[in-house]
Amino acid sequence: MEQIISLLDVKKDFPIFKQKVNGKPLVYLDSAATSQKPIDVLNTLEEYYKEYNSNVFRAIHTLGEKATEKYEEARKKVASFINSSPKEIIFTRNTTESINLVVRTWGKANIKKDDTILLTEMEHHSNLVPWLMLAKEQNAKISYIPITEEGLLDIKKSQELISKKPKILALTHISNVLGTINPIKELIQLAHRNNVAVLVDAAQSVPHMKVDVKDLDADFLAFSGHKMFGPTGIGVLFGKRKLLESIEPLYGGGEMIKEVFYTHATWNDVPHKFEAGTPHIAGAIGLGAAIDYLQKIGMQNIFEHNQKLTEYALNKLKQVKGIKIYGPLDSKLRNGVISFNLADIHPHDLSTVLDEEGIAIRSGHACAMPLHDKLGITASARVSFHVYNTFEDVDKLILALEKARKVFRL
Amino acid sequence: MTAEEMYQEFILDLYRNPSNKGALENPQIKARDVNHSCGDIIEIHANVNGSSIKDIKFSGKGCAISQASTELLVESVKNKHLEEIKNITKEQVLEMLGIPISAFRLKCALLGLKVLKLGVYNYLGEKLEDDNLS
Ligand SMILES: Cc1ncc(COP(=O)(O)O)c(C=O)c1O
């Protein structure tokens, strides 16, 4: 069986795989929810707390200087990772907070009564609920680019909806349910020709493939550190510098100001005007280490690895009796995520059976209730991959699904 | 606890062939709730005779545990006094189920009870407190 040689030893870099779960070696198929953490990242976090823990920007002492330097170095790493500049990188808690930040600042200032917000039918709640809230407040409208039977965005409809000049197009790069890779570069071009701003939810793409914001020409792009080997609690919002400079900050407090008087205040430069208060210093530095690790393996290698696993898994899953797979069946159109249902076994029950075999999957609506409605289901089971997964993991999954069929007398 | 111990024949049978599934027209008692984490949905309809349950039906979608426990619960409260229903404990539901339930799946097993109590409290014009659910 073909295995990607350069990645064979990757599992060793992740201490979590040393343990057994329910007496079985851990088979972790839930990286779309959150990835595991390599030892380099864990060491970096420990080093910060043990050796130079202190606040950033405000401390003129050795530790404070080192912390500030490392924090800003992490920002530079993030910037170059997605081909932007450090001034365009805002540290947040996660994708959700990044999107809310755009909605509350740029959105609130630019979206008014009867304006349209254009989303897609495959959005995660985090790129849907904040817009619903804004639309309600501003009396704005929301339209959705529909998905085809196959689980792809309906391109003809996208063109039609974009030409109606919504204020913003906010869409996911890779669907966390269908695995679909959306043609965002083309959609962004189309949007810009119509003067439509674009926010990309890159929570599932930045961890798995090279994302270049300049090449894409995205206006805003959001992702989470915890899905790309970094710690929880640290996320990123990229915004084009001009846009960031044109909008008001969301939170007021320390670090986001230039001067404060009893009567008024002036704002710090970007990106600091969006980072009020003590940030997640360890998280940002840990994310920097995660990016080093991703780059050591190489984004193209990671993409191809997940592509091969997805193809292998799709082929095997298709043969399981009673399975219904969602999203495109051509593995080239998707990456790293496969959602399905098995006969009349509820995904929750399936999880329980699989857990007994040490296999961790996601079950439920994967934070995409409207999409599940559209698919005519209330829940699905989801497997998702990252570099530490192997063909053997997929084989174990298939065996466990056969076992589930037996437990359910099918 | 193994999966085989949990998904016994009778549980699967209750899940696949419930006898109390359906809806009532203009029911006096009507309540619905969902488990957000998993998407389990239960809706219960009931009519009252004096102060006892006369007809009762449930509908919904979800895992074998949530559906089987609701089927058992609904069957057990027919002709029951509303005050008695208010006092049903979670232990009683788990005892009816008679299979080991992990802490993580408790929410599934108890969703039906939550919905039933919600309906009864509402019907009586009383407020269901968290304490009344244990
Ligand atoms: C496509 C997509 N968008 C947004 C999110 C939200 O990420 P977070 O919970 O880290 O904010 C997720 C993951 O849960 C996701 O898969």
Side-chain angles (χ1 to χ4, degrees):
Chain A
M1 195 193 310
E2 190 194 2
Q3 187 66 263
I4 302 156
I5 311 296
S6 61
L7 295 186
L8 265 181
D9 285 340
V10 163
K11 230 171 196 155
K12 286 203 205 85
D13 297 340
F14 294 77
I16 205 153
F17 293 110
K18 289 195 188 118
Q19 68 175 320
K20 297 227 153 119
V21 172
N22 295 320
K24 307 270 168 62
L26 169 64
V27 175
Y28 188 73
L29 298 176
D30 199 15
S31 292
T34 197
S35 71
Q36 295 303 343
K37 317 302 174 202
I39 188 72
D40 292 3
V41 169
L42 303 177
N43 286 341
T44 301
L45 293 174
E46 191 175 323
E47 197 180 278
Y48 163 71
Y49 283 122
K50 276 189 176 163
E51 292 171 19
Y52 58 97
N53 172 60
S54 58
N55 214 326
V56 284
F57 304 121
R58 15 189 124 160
I60 307 298
H61 49 64
T62 307
L63 298 189
E65 275 175 27
K66 179 157 185 196
T68 306
E69 190 186 301
K70 290 279 191 184
Y71 181 71
E72 287 306 313
E73 187 183 295
R75 195 191 307 276
K76 284 190 198 126
K77 283 180 188 172
V78 173
S80 86
F81 187 57
I82 60 167
N83 193 24
S84 67
S85 105
K87 298 235 177 257
E88 301 180 310
I89 301 298
I90 299 164
F91 283 124
T92 61
R93 282 191 300 138
N94 47 37
T95 307
T96 306
E97 189 175 66
S98 298
I99 296 172
N100 276 278
L101 182 58
V102 174
V103 171
R104 289 288 121 205
T105 56
W106 186 92
K108 187 102 190 184
N110 289 282
I111 295 167
K112 304 287 182 212
K113 189 165 181 296
D114 295 331
D115 285 342
T116 301
I117 299 159
L118 183 57
L119 309 176
T120 83
E121 285 182 342
M122 59 169 88
E123 296 314 309
H124 185 281
H125 293 166
S126 72
N127 193 30
L128 207 168
V129 181
W131 298 111
L132 287 175
M133 292 162 72
L134 182 72
K136 190 170 169 200
E137 258 171 65
Q138 307 288 77
N139 266 315
K141 298 186 201 113
I142 299 188
S143 322
Y144 295 90
I145 299 175
I147 55 169
T148 62
E149 282 288 306
E150 209 194 341
L152 303 174
L153 284 185
D154 185 331
I155 294 301
K156 243 190 101 197
K157 276 274 163 42
S158 325
Q159 290 164 343
E160 217 176 285
L161 288 163
I162 291 171
S163 71
K164 288 190 181 153
K165 303 195 186 305
K167 276 281 143 103
I168 191 165
L169 165 63
L171 83 170
T172 191
H173 192 177
I174 296 184
S175 161
N176 68 313
V177 175
L178 305 166
T180 315
I181 308 172
N182 289 323
I184 54 166
K185 190 174 172 182
E186 291 73 16
L187 290 170
I188 291 172
Q189 281 173 357
L190 187 63
H192 285 168
R193 278 205 294 278
N194 286 278
N195 268 325
V196 179
V198 182
L199 175 147
V200 179
D201 172 353
Q204 296 296 344
S205 60
V206 168
H208 290 103
M209 64 196 281
K210 178 76 200 154
V211 171
D212 179 330
V213 291
K214 283 224 176 69
D215 178 54
L216 293 174
D217 200 25
D219 298 304
F220 297 108
L221 186 131
F223 54 99
S224 299
H226 69 93
K227 293 183 200 282
M228 51 192 285
F229 306 153
T232 53
I234 188 80
V236 173
L237 172 66
F238 156 83
K240 278 186 184 160
R241 185 163 172 184
K242 266 207 201 109
L243 278 172
L244 293 182
E245 283 172 345
S246 75
I247 53 188
E248 288 289 299
L250 179 59
Y251 301 119
E255 253 44 274
M256 55 74 69
I257 43 83
K258 242 192 194 125
E259 286 186 292
V260 181
F261 309 92
Y262 282 123
T263 49
H264 65 285
T266 57
W267 311 146
N268 202 340
D269 298 329
V270 292
H272 306 290
K273 83 172 181 194
F274 294 103
E275 292 180 4
T278 302
H280 188 1
I281 305 166
I285 297 171
L287 176 58
I291 287 175
D292 289 342
Y293 184 81
L294 284 162
Q295 286 182 321
K296 194 168 86 188
I297 297 179
M299 293 314 289
Q300 189 56 29
N301 288 335
I302 291 173
F303 183 75
E304 282 167 20
H305 175 82
N306 288 320
Q307 202 77 27
K308 282 191 182 147
L309 276 176
T310 306
E311 185 183 0
Y312 183 76
L314 273 175
N315 283 334
K316 290 250 162 170
L317 283 168
K318 271 186 228 165
Q319 291 163 36
V320 176
K321 226 175 127 197
I323 201 160
K324 165 84 185 138
I325 298 172
Y326 306 102
L329 286 179
D330 178 353
S331 61
K332 283 183 205 65
L333 301 175
R334 59 197 290 159
N335 190 263
V337 173
I338 305 173
S339 296
F340 60 93
N341 266 303
L342 181 54
D344 71 345
I345 309 177
H346 190 276
H348 233 195
D349 296 316
L350 200 58
S351 275
T352 299
V353 179
L354 265 49
D355 185 50
E356 204 174 69
E357 304 300 311
I359 303 175
I361 66 162
R362 175 76 195 254
S363 60
H365 51 60
C367 294
M369 285 171 99
L371 175 58
H372 278 73
D373 268 351
K374 166 99 186 182
L375 297 170
I377 50 178
T378 51
S380 60
R382 180 184 74 187
V383 296
S384 54
F385 309 118
H386 220 312
V387 284
Y388 33 68
N389 291 119
T390 59
F391 290 122
E392 195 192 341
D393 289 347
V394 176
D395 294 340
K396 286 183 181 163
L397 167 72
I398 301 294
L399 282 177
L401 293 178
E402 294 299 345
K403 179 185 162 181
R405 288 183 52 88
K406 264 202 214 97
V407 169
F408 269 74
R409 303 351 180 236
L410 288 167
Chain B
M1 178 213 353
T2 67
E4 281 89 352
E5 280 168 344
M6 193 158 156
Y7 298 106
Q8 293 171 24
E9 195 79 48
F10 84 98
I11 294 286
L12 295 179
D13 194 48
L14 291 167
Y15 171 54
R16 291 193 169 121
N17 309 303
S19 57
N20 294 301
K21 261 207 150 153
L24 299 175
E25 222 169 286
N26 299 321
Q28 291 167 287
I29 292 178
K30 182 175 172 179
R32 170 194 160 97
D33 201 13
V34 298
N35 267 344
H36 289 288
S37 57
C38 32
D40 289 345
I41 305 169
I42 296 283
E43 179 159 331
I44 292 181
H45 292 177
N47 284 325
V48 176
N49 192 358
S51 45
S52 298
I53 295 286
K54 191 172 67 175
D55 300 314
I56 180 161
K57 292 276 179 203
F58 81 100
S59 59
K61 279 196 172 149
C63 64
I65 304 303
S66 70
Q67 303 300 304
S69 77
T70 306
E71 164 68 19
L72 282 168
L73 178 70
V74 162
E75 183 62 40
S76 76
V77 297
K78 287 179 179 170
N79 302 317
K80 252 212 172 98
H81 203 280
L82 297 184
E83 288 301 322
E84 263 182 283
I85 293 177
K86 280 166 63 180
N87 292 326
I88 297 175
T89 63
K90 67 178 186 204
E91 286 74 22
Q92 283 170 291
V93 174
L94 295 180
E95 199 176 314
M96 270 194 292
L97 263 176
I99 54 168
I101 296 287
S102 67
F104 204 66
R105 299 300 295 276
L106 259 186
K107 269 203 319 207
C108 309
L110 298 175
L111 180 61
L113 179 63
K114 184 177 172 201
V115 174
L116 179 63
K117 285 199 175 181
L118 207 63
V120 168
Y121 274 81
N122 268 344
Y123 174 76
L124 296 171
E126 297 169 21
K127 193 165 154 27
L128 177 63
E129 306 286 351
D130 287 347
D131 288 352
N132 305 129
L133 277 173
S134 48

